[in-house]
Amino acid sequence: MEPLVAAIDQGTSSTRFLVFNAKTAELLSHHQVEINQSFPKEGWVEEDPKEIMQSVYECMERTCEKLSQLNIDISNIKAVGVANQRETTLVWDKETGEPLYNAIVWLDLRTQSTVERLITKTPGQNKNHLKHKTGLPISTYFSAVKLRWLLDNVDEVRQAVLSERAMFGTVDSWIIWCLTGGRNGGIHCTDVSNASRTMLFNIHTMDWDPELCRYFDVPMEILPKVRSSSEIYGWMKSGSLAGVPISGCLGDQSAALVGQMCFTEGQAKNTYGTGCFLLRHTGTKPVMSDHGLLTTVAYKMGKDEPTCYALEGSVAIAGAVVRWLKDNMGIVQSSSEIETLAAAAGSSYGCYFVPAFSGLYAPYWEPSARGIICGLTQFTNRNHLAFAALEAVCFQTREILDAMNQDSGVHLTQLQVDGGMTSNRLLMQLQADILCMSVVRPTMSETTALGAAMAAGAAEGVKVWNLSPGHLPHITSEKYEPQINSDESEFRFARWKKAVQRAMNWETTEPCCNANGLGKKTNGNPWGVPPTPPPTRADP
């Protein structure tokens, strides 16, 4: 039997465990468990760290059972890689192994007032004040402000820091620490791609930055050790895979870049999950954006290998808009139904949907924006709304692609895509139409997990996966070509931009009174109406 490599893909709304053949990249078996989100207040999004770990163990054991049923020997699994939702922030007690608060999810908005306060304090009130070191704007999106909130608002976290028991990490750190022994010698580490999303990491020195830590007043001793994306971090301590090395770690979007084989400068991929993330490989030097994109670490494939960087356009709400239509509005009964509804309309008939539920991310970085549906007439029905929701995902991608082309000066000729939403053929065709370019979708859509498996299998001490150009597996794909003329595409895009302007500056955290002098407005809930939970990721 040829060597196998496994991957944990811990996303915003589900955990998967997948096993690949290291020679052919064939997916042999997998298991998936959904993750619950809680919304304690409007704009707050949390997950239970223990539930995340429980889902990891369950997926691993169930996949091993499935492999045994297929008469595949699990002792052929030579390594495990981890891909994870990025920026989501956890603090736990290293002595008890217990989380000290729920995980604060990446699209959580509770830190909006903290962000506004930090930006007000910068010279010229500049949200890009730290960009020269971090590649990132000061935003609710990144881990440092979430950690700051925990330090300011959760007694257990403060006490654990004072008594030197606190550990901070993103989801990858929590998973690796638990799997390598937890309070009994667990390894506290993260990789460069995840570290670069915290706002505490210097993307030039490739380490935690004392000045940034002072800026956010974060104690450096609680931070994990930063490692490359492909090396042995430690070994599994329990379960069916005890003794197997954990040797790959990548933030999910970096993992998808690797899984799409984007190892060359200029290559790009777009992942359609809860949010939408377009990454373009920019080589071994960080490229700063003048058009609202992030500069991020793509990967570092080994201790002595060069760091590769990417420009990234991040959209907060993509698949999550489908979940919102299903869970909050009852317009569809399942995520797959949206394609049928939208196809029945064939057009949005002038209806435009800007799903700025968590503000707008790239290229605007405007936390005060809110969702808006405009262009409604008496003729508009749920089919048109479904179509407008799918178009919104495509328009947001177009905005990012335009920014990327302006930053790099080299226009992409086709877009490689992956993620849960890409099974929607209408969405893929719409994307080709709105971009006026080919959209290429691999027939094996689990590219995030594949990327983590490749990093793990290629690590020093494992070496069962060859990442040199001549040895990369051939992945079959299907191509969508534009079917409308560019004038129509430009007209629809211009209308969308008009709708985006309407969504801007809707919400601030400033106190205000209504005409009767009642109360204080907080994050869009001036009348004390019970908050509606925000949506999160839609997987098929």
Side-chain angles (χ1 to χ4, degrees):
M1 184 70 192
E2 290 181 331
L4 311 178
V5 179
I8 297 160
D9 179 4
Q10 205 299 301
T12 316
S13 69
S14 72
T15 301
R16 297 178 182 79
F17 188 74
L18 308 95
V19 177
F20 297 92
N21 179 318
K23 294 284 180 277
T24 63
E26 180 195 356
L27 175 59
L28 299 176
S29 185
H30 68 102
H31 190 73
Q32 178 171 347
V33 171
E34 291 222 344
I35 297 287
N36 293 303
Q37 278 120 10
S38 57
F39 312 102
K41 296 185 183 178
E42 187 189 4
W44 291 30
V45 190
E46 295 179 4
E47 291 178 353
D48 178 353
K50 291 168 95 168
E51 186 193 339
I52 290 174
M53 274 321 298
Q54 196 48 52
S55 71
V56 170
Y57 291 125
E58 185 182 337
C59 287
M60 283 166 57
E61 292 306 318
R62 290 297 302 277
T63 304
C64 287
E65 285 168 22
K66 290 177 184 180
L67 288 171
S68 298
Q69 288 161 10
L70 295 168
N71 291 322
I72 295 172
D73 188 346
I74 60 170
S75 69
N76 286 312
I77 297 174
K78 303 302 180 194
V80 175
V82 177
N84 57 285
Q85 51 170 312
R86 303 171 304 169
E87 301 95 19
T88 296
T89 300
L90 300 93
V91 180
W92 65 95
D93 186 316
K94 65 179 168 195
E95 288 174 15
T96 64
E98 291 293 309
L100 296 168
Y101 191 79
N102 275 344
I104 301 180
V105 177
W106 55 275
L107 45 64
D108 183 284
L109 279 179
R110 76 188 64 191
T111 54
Q112 189 176 334
S113 54
T114 311
V115 166
E116 286 171 8
R117 195 167 65 245
L118 286 168
I119 292 171
T120 305
K121 281 190 196 162
T122 65
Q125 302 200 0
N126 179 10
K127 64 185 162 204
N128 291 319
H129 179 60
L130 306 175
K131 198 172 175 182
H132 64 292
K133 280 190 171 186
T134 63
L136 312 171
I138 301 169
S139 160
T140 58
Y141 184 16
F142 307 110
S143 313
V145 285
K146 301 180 197 301
L147 177 54
R148 186 65 256 149
W149 187 91
L150 287 167
L151 292 164
D152 289 339
N153 293 282
V154 182
D155 274 342
E156 290 84 348
V157 171
R158 256 199 312 272
Q159 293 306 321
V161 169
L162 289 172
S163 55
E164 299 183 354
R165 289 179 292 112
M167 285 182 155
F168 153 78
T170 40
V171 173
D172 56 309
S173 299
W174 170 239
I175 290 173
I176 293 170
W177 186 78
C178 290
L179 292 178
T180 55
R183 58 189 181 153
N184 300 312
I187 305 298
H188 188 215
C189 68
T190 188
D191 94 298
V192 291
S193 69
N194 280 295
S196 76
R197 311 296 293 188
T198 59
M199 277 202 297
L200 300 170
F201 183 79
N202 185 319
I203 61 172
H204 307 284
T205 64
M206 298 303 288
D207 210 344
W208 303 120
D209 190 289
E211 200 179 281
L212 291 169
C213 290
R214 276 197 299 276
Y215 183 86
F216 290 103
D217 195 16
V218 164
M220 291 187 78
E221 57 275 11
I222 73 172
L223 305 178
K225 184 172 168 44
V226 183
R227 312 273 287 269
S228 79
S229 312
S230 178
E231 61 179 89
I232 295 175
Y233 312 112
W235 286 262
M236 293 275 199
K237 283 290 189 288
S238 62
S240 301
L241 298 179
V244 176
I246 301 172
S247 54
C249 178
L250 288 158
D252 52 10
Q253 303 312 321
S254 286
L257 194 73
V258 172
Q260 285 268 28
M261 321 288 169
C262 295
F263 291 120
T264 313
E265 190 176 334
Q267 289 181 298
K269 67 87 206 171
N270 197 27
T271 300
Y272 300 75
T274 301
C276 213
F277 303 90
L278 179 55
L279 269 70
R280 183 171 189 151
H281 193 305
T282 59
T284 54
K285 286 197 173 65
V287 174
M288 290 295 163
S289 170
D290 296 321
H291 298 93
L293 302 179
L294 309 176
T295 303
T296 197
V297 174
Y299 54 78
K300 179 178 164 68
M301 285 299 178
K303 286 180 196 178
D304 304 319
E305 294 299 312
T307 301
C308 291
Y309 295 89
L311 274 176
E312 174 175 334
S314 321
V315 167
I317 304 294
V321 76
V322 182
R323 189 134 161 188
W324 180 82
L325 288 173
K326 176 168 79 78
D327 296 347
N328 293 33
M329 307 307 286
I331 283 174
V332 292
Q333 263 53 63
S334 68
S335 297
S336 54
E337 195 190 333
I338 192 163
E339 186 171 1
T340 315
L341 280 186
S347 156
S348 71
Y349 281 91
C351 171
Y352 288 83
F353 188 164
V354 182
F357 302 146
S358 294
L360 284 168
Y361 283 17
Y364 302 102
W365 298 106
E366 191 44 77
S368 69
R370 285 296 176 272
I372 189 169
I373 300 170
C374 50
L376 300 174
T377 67
Q378 282 177 302
F379 180 66
T380 310
N381 62 30
R382 68 188 189 132
N383 297 14
H384 303 129
L385 197 53
F387 195 96
L390 293 183
E391 268 194 325
V393 176
C394 301
F395 287 133
Q396 290 181 102
T397 300
R398 163 79 193 263
E399 290 203 283
I400 287 169
L401 202 65
D402 285 357
M404 219 160 251
N405 286 337
Q406 286 174 294
D407 274 329
S408 68
V410 182
H411 285 233
L412 277 182
T413 52
Q414 64 173 32
L415 184 64
Q416 289 172 239
V417 300
D418 57 75
M421 286 190 91
T422 60
S423 60
N424 184 324
R425 289 171 177 273
L426 175 62
L427 176 72
M428 294 295 94
Q429 186 56 54
L430 272 175
Q431 189 67 87
D433 291 346
I434 286 164
L435 294 179
C436 302
M437 71 167 67
S438 310
V439 168
V440 182
R441 182 183 87 90
T443 44
M444 199 288 288
S445 62
E446 299 288 0
T447 45
T448 300
L450 179 60
M454 288 164 69
E460 198 64 52
V462 179
K463 287 289 182 199
V464 295
W465 206 308
N466 190 334
L467 298 187
S468 58
H471 291 85
L472 291 175
H474 175 68
I475 305 287
T476 57
S477 58
E478 57 182 0
K479 202 177 223 187
Y480 294 83
E481 299 289 359
Q483 291 177 354
I484 63 171
N485 68 46
S486 58
D487 289 349
E488 187 189 337
S489 174
E490 291 303 321
F491 173 77
R492 278 154 64 179
F493 185 52
R495 294 286 287 273
W496 154 264
K497 300 270 279 190
K498 209 168 157 185
V500 169
Q501 290 311 312
R502 302 280 195 282
M504 293 291 194
N505 302 315
W506 196 263
E507 206 43 75
T508 65
T509 52
E510 296 306 307
C512 78
C513 292
N514 62 36
N516 303 322
L518 295 172
K520 193 177 185 185
K521 181 177 80 166
T522 54
N523 276 346
N525 195 0
W527 317 117
V529 178
T532 308
T536 35
R537 171 158 159 174
D539 280 323

